[in-house]
Amino acid sequence: MTGATLSCELADITCLRVGAVVNAANSALLGGGGVDGAIHRAAGPELLEACRALRGCPVGEARLTPGFALPAAWIIHTVGPVWQGGHRDEAELLAACYRHCLQLAGRHGIHSLAFPAISTGVYGYPREAAARIAVGTVQTCLASVPAVRQVIFCCFSEADLAIYRELLAV
Ligand code: AR6
């Protein structure tokens, strides 16, 4: 048991006042649509400059920038896998995203973070399977990241919220 709080809520992740919000980016880290576009719009143009300096990010890894104009202090950018039917290591890569985000948060002493449903939009990962990986990986990894005290699964639809509520039994 870690004593950390796991919860889910229906929200626009750009509005959350947490230590870090996670961005579901692409490997160029230069912005895009979906949650990535929303985060870049809300954080402001300085974010693009900070992302340029990172020179990309491989699938399954994570990178840190300040939150700039967001209420969140930090942004953790991760790159989820594109769903290709389930036999191209998508599950392992998606789990790696959650694990690397938590580890990066832990190394920077970030106490609270909010995840969007990585890969479940443009990248097409089936929502329920992705949510199982998200919750399972966070529950497993939190024990080794004591700095992180609160994790919010930020849902952007009632359907996603219902899936997470069931998995978290809340
Ligand atoms: N707050 C919280 N969740 C959101 C928000 C928001 N403001 N906007 C969308 N979502 P997606 P991906 C949800 O497509 O599948 C981008 O172009 C959305 O409903 O944003 O990982 C990147 O640049 C879905 O549940 O990310 C990449 O090219 C989830 O966020 C590509 O899309 C993820 O959907 C990444 O695709």
Side-chain angles (χ1 to χ4, degrees):
M1 270 312 287
T2 65
T5 310
L6 269 67
S7 62
C8 53
E9 61 184 79
L10 188 61
D12 175 347
I13 205 164
T14 64
C15 299
L16 297 182
R17 193 168 292 280
V18 285
V21 292
V22 173
N23 182 17
N26 57 62
S27 53
L29 293 186
L30 298 177
V35 70
D36 194 9
I39 285 176
H40 273 267
R41 278 192 301 278
E46 283 171 298
L47 177 58
L48 187 57
E49 289 313 307
C51 284
R52 262 191 232 289
L54 294 173
R55 301 190 171 276
C57 176
V59 176
E61 294 192 16
R63 300 287 185 267
L64 188 74
T65 67
F68 298 107
L70 288 186
W74 299 99
I75 303 167
I76 296 176
H77 306 263
T78 190
V79 184
V82 176
W83 178 256
Q84 296 179 78
H87 300 289
R88 298 282 179 93
D89 292 334
E90 293 96 323
E92 292 77 8
L93 290 165
L94 186 60
C97 288
Y98 285 92
R99 190 172 65 247
H100 285 132
C101 287
L102 284 172
Q103 289 169 347
L104 195 54
R107 283 204 297 280
H108 288 83
I110 294 168
H111 300 307
S112 60
L113 75 165
F115 284 100
I118 300 164
S119 282
T120 66
V122 175
Y123 281 0
Y125 207 111
R127 292 181 169 278
E128 190 145 356
R132 262 179 222 290
I133 289 169
V135 172
T137 306
V138 169
Q139 282 172 337
T140 303
C141 294
L142 269 178
S144 54
V145 190
V148 177
R149 308 300 303 151
Q150 187 192 10
V151 174
I152 298 167
F153 295 102
C154 179
C155 300
F156 209 51
S157 69
E158 291 283 358
D160 262 0
L161 186 65
I163 293 170
Y164 276 92
R165 277 203 172 130
E166 191 168 336
L167 288 172
L168 294 168
V170 291

